[in-house]
Amino acid sequence: SRRIDRSIFAFTTGRGNGLYADYGKASQVAEALRGFVYRGQYSKVRRRSHGSSGARVPFEKFIASVETALDIGKRPRGDRLGKLLQTGQEKILAGLVLLGPQIPLVFQGDEYAESRPFLYFSDFADEETARREGQAAAALAARFGLTGETPDPQAPETYTRCKLDGSAPEKHGHIQILRVYKRLIELRKELRLAGCKPEEFEAVFFDSLTCLFMLYHLGEGEIFMPFNLGTSEFVLVEELPPGEWECIF
């Protein structure tokens, strides 16, 4: 299936266990940008073949995000991706989603690198249902290979820990991320990326550079976007397609 969020998480963190056992390759990020990651191949998580070709499905039928409430809440510690990465990596991943061809979704707080977790919390009145939910949370932690006490979904403090820090956007490190998000959203509008057709977009990952390239063929012009998913710098000049190019970001 198209899972940009899980492809990103598994590759950037190296955590390929639990729900992310089907992911971990950088090439899968490019595949998710173009269409579905799983197109009929075997899935470790589902223990069967899964998926179909999404090559002809319009991009506006899909939503792309760096992470979602569903995935963060399923992580036993509720840790946001930003807590596990460097600031530069956060900016690159934001660019992948906000400048990608699908409809972007920004999970609350990611636009300024919220540091508080988003744990799974619940408020069931039925004690038996609450007990089963607690057991399910512990079982999920075990799938991730985590030990120790799992936060009780029914405990009020579990919910309280997830509340956004209202002062965070005004702090130095958070302001930097917020400015990048705002500029990327402006660029998306200026470049008119919404409504791009599948035949007008390419996404390719180069193992030798640990770099993902996105290329738009819009009208008479082209928009070329390189994203360094590795930890080393590289020279891009030799990788540019022929023609005259203007750096806009």
Side-chain angles (χ1 to χ4, degrees):
S1 64
R2 177 199 293 271
R3 289 310 304 243
I4 294 177
D5 50 351
R6 291 187 182 178
S7 300
I8 286 175
F9 181 87
F11 174 72
T12 55
T13 64
R15 297 183 180 183
N17 57 352
L19 299 175
Y20 304 95
D22 284 337
Y23 303 92
K25 300 177 182 178
S27 59
Q28 291 177 317
V29 180
E31 291 171 2
L33 288 166
R34 294 193 303 266
F36 293 113
V37 175
Y38 277 80
R39 303 178 299 280
Q41 60 266 53
Y42 183 78
S43 162
K44 295 179 182 178
V45 173
R46 293 177 174 83
R47 299 179 181 178
R48 58 176 172 81
S49 59
H50 176 68
S52 60
S53 175
R56 299 191 179 187
V57 180
F59 287 130
E60 61 265 25
K61 297 291 184 180
F62 296 96
I63 293 176
S65 61
V66 173
E67 56 189 353
T68 65
L70 181 62
D71 270 347
I72 304 174
K74 285 184 176 180
R75 296 170 198 160
R77 300 293 181 265
D79 43 1
R80 291 170 177 263
L81 189 56
K83 287 284 290 183
L84 308 173
L85 303 177
Q86 298 177 359
T87 301
Q89 291 175 297
E90 284 189 85
K91 295 176 182 179
I92 290 173
L93 298 182
L96 274 177
V97 169
L98 293 175
L99 299 181
Q102 314 88 348
I103 298 175
L105 167 70
V106 179
F107 180 64
Q108 58 179 0
D110 279 1
E111 71 276 13
Y112 61 82
E114 173 64 60
S115 58
R116 293 182 179 177
F118 188 80
L119 298 159
Y120 173 63
F121 53 85
S122 58
D123 186 22
F124 293 107
D126 179 67
E127 293 184 3
E128 178 60 22
T129 301
R131 184 186 66 80
R132 289 199 303 266
E133 288 299 309
Q135 291 178 338
L140 187 61
R143 288 185 64 185
F144 276 88
L146 297 178
T147 58
E149 186 176 353
T150 303
D152 179 6
Q154 289 281 112
E157 56 268 25
T158 300
Y159 164 74
T160 303
R161 289 176 58 191
C162 303
K163 289 188 175 181
L164 300 178
D165 181 1
S167 64
E170 302 175 2
K171 298 176 182 178
H172 176 66
H174 300 277
I175 290 177
Q176 289 181 323
I177 296 294
L178 184 59
R179 287 174 178 169
V180 169
Y181 265 86
K182 287 182 176 180
R183 180 54 185 145
L184 289 172
I185 293 173
E186 290 173 354
L187 269 179
R188 182 178 180 83
K189 295 178 181 178
E190 293 171 9
L191 299 175
R192 299 181 180 179
L193 301 180
C196 168
K197 300 177 181 178
E199 61 268 22
E200 297 174 326
F201 175 79
E202 296 180 55
V204 181
F205 178 77
F206 289 88
D207 287 305
S208 59
L209 297 174
T210 321
C211 180
L212 188 148
F213 294 159
M214 293 199 307
L215 182 62
Y216 285 89
H217 307 276
L218 302 178
E220 298 181 356
E222 293 183 326
I223 304 172
F224 177 68
M225 305 178 187
F227 296 88
N228 183 1
L229 300 183
T231 55
S232 303
E233 295 183 358
F234 63 85
V235 178
L236 184 62
V237 177
E238 296 180 358
E239 306 300 329
L240 285 171
E244 296 183 4
W245 295 87
E246 176 187 0
C247 180
I248 58 175
F249 184 66

